[in-house]
Amino acid sequence: MTPTISRLALAAFIVSASLLSVRPAPAAVACGSGNFDAWLADFKTDAAAKGISQQAITAGLAGVTLDPSVVNRDRSQKVFTQTFEEFSGRMVPPRLERGANRMKQYGSVLSRIEQAYGVPGEVLVAIWGLETDFGVNTGKFATIRSLATLAYDCRRSEQFRAELLDALRIVQRGDLAPADMKGAWAGELGQTQFMPSSWMKYAVDFDGNGKRDLLHNAPDVLASTANYLAGYGWQKGKDWQPGSPNFEVLKQWNKSEVYSKTVAYFAAQLARAP
């Protein structure tokens, strides 16, 4: 008679096998661990697990290194202390004529955007001017490198880890090539400075060329900015001055009361411009 495994031995074997099968996965490499390359390798694995293509991961993260200057900027931010009079007096007069010219140049586009999203052109052009001088100063920091640096640094790691994933999704979707993704030191992109998460949520292809391009394409820039404001509850045909519901929407764009008041003031000046 062929010997058989006893029930007790068989049970022990099954328990042992099950323990092996549920052995925990290796722990993720922690932020600020002292080994950025190991952290980045772990991030690539996580990005793939979240559905980002290997092509986008390779294209976006190849050769990415830590940028100490970004960490220094993040840790040395100063509290905004200018009054409305100081800030608006410095920012609005030099941009008013150029803003009025943009209103004329993109008049038909702005009208179509207002029909679609309810946001007046004056508000969009005011934001455009204050953020980047109408697309002249969009920033020169490599976006993916900045985001990877801030995700690795422990101060706001989870926030910027999510932004870095969305930056790769922008690449995967074909909106921008990684080499074109340059902006402000904290990862803001484009002519009105969208974080990647806002780009993914609100960027629109307004001219229908197949790409959402907020770096080079003014109709996409302006329509996406309008879509952002509409997404936060902009009320069509209503005032945007302090105290109004639309002013509260402006504060979702930038939480600074002084900045939001300056947008409102600039837009009102543009509305009266010849």
Side-chain angles (χ1 to χ4, degrees):
M1 184 175 181
T2 305
T4 57
I5 301 174
S6 72
R7 290 182 180 177
L8 187 59
L10 181 60
F13 174 78
I14 291 171
V15 170
S16 175
S18 66
L19 288 173
L20 287 172
S21 68
V22 298
R23 184 173 292 167
V29 178
C31 64
S33 61
N35 190 334
F36 177 77
D37 290 339
W39 176 89
L40 189 63
D42 181 75
F43 176 85
K44 291 176 182 178
T45 301
D46 185 43
K50 286 180 166 60
I52 297 173
S53 70
Q54 197 58 53
Q55 183 179 3
I57 293 169
T58 300
L61 296 175
V64 168
T65 57
L66 195 71
D67 187 345
S69 72
V70 167
V71 176
N72 291 338
R73 283 173 179 263
D74 187 47
R75 294 183 179 176
S76 62
Q77 291 185 79
K78 296 178 181 178
V79 176
F80 189 88
T81 57
Q82 293 183 65
T83 65
F84 164 70
E85 289 75 17
E86 291 169 338
F87 185 69
S88 63
R90 180 169 64 86
M91 298 295 287
V92 174
R95 293 167 175 80
L96 189 54
E97 183 178 352
R98 285 179 290 154
N101 289 337
R102 296 302 190 284
M103 292 287 297
K104 295 172 185 174
Q105 181 180 356
Y106 294 101
S108 62
V109 171
L110 290 167
S111 294
R112 288 191 289 116
I113 290 172
E114 184 168 4
Q115 288 176 359
Y117 301 103
V119 183
E122 301 94 303
V123 173
L124 303 175
V125 171
I127 290 172
W128 192 18
L130 292 177
E131 290 289 348
T132 65
D133 270 339
F134 311 102
V136 174
N137 301 309
T138 56
K140 297 181 179 179
F141 284 84
T143 299
I144 290 178
R145 186 186 186 197
S146 290
L147 293 172
T149 297
L150 292 168
Y152 173 71
D153 185 56
C154 290
R155 195 167 88 84
R156 293 181 286 172
S157 180
E158 288 306 310
Q159 174 187 342
F160 284 100
R161 189 179 184 93
E163 295 291 348
L164 181 56
L165 288 167
D166 277 334
L168 295 180
R169 292 183 180 108
I170 291 171
V171 174
Q172 178 170 282
R173 194 164 68 178
D175 291 352
L176 290 175
D180 292 332
M181 297 173 75
K182 294 185 185 299
W185 65 264
E188 301 96 332
L189 269 170
Q191 296 189 27
T192 53
Q193 300 287 277
F194 273 40
M195 291 300 291
S197 57
S198 294
W199 184 304
M200 288 299 299
K201 190 171 183 179
Y202 297 111
V204 295
D205 172 21
F206 197 71
D207 68 351
N209 71 350
K211 293 185 177 182
R212 302 162 185 84
D213 184 357
L214 310 191
L215 274 174
H216 314 102
N217 187 308
D220 286 3
V221 169
L222 296 166
S224 300
T225 305
N227 191 32
Y228 181 105
L229 296 174
Y232 279 96
W234 186 274
Q235 296 182 15
K236 184 176 183 178
K238 300 292 182 67
D239 187 23
W240 58 78
Q241 293 304 315
S244 68
N246 283 340
F247 183 75
E248 294 305 310
V249 175
L250 290 178
K251 287 173 68 176
Q252 296 301 316
W253 179 269
N254 189 309
K255 290 181 170 50
S256 164
E257 183 92 7
V258 167
Y259 191 97
S260 299
K261 285 177 70 175
T262 301
V263 171
Y265 170 71
F266 192 0
Q269 294 295 305
L270 288 172
R272 292 194 287 268

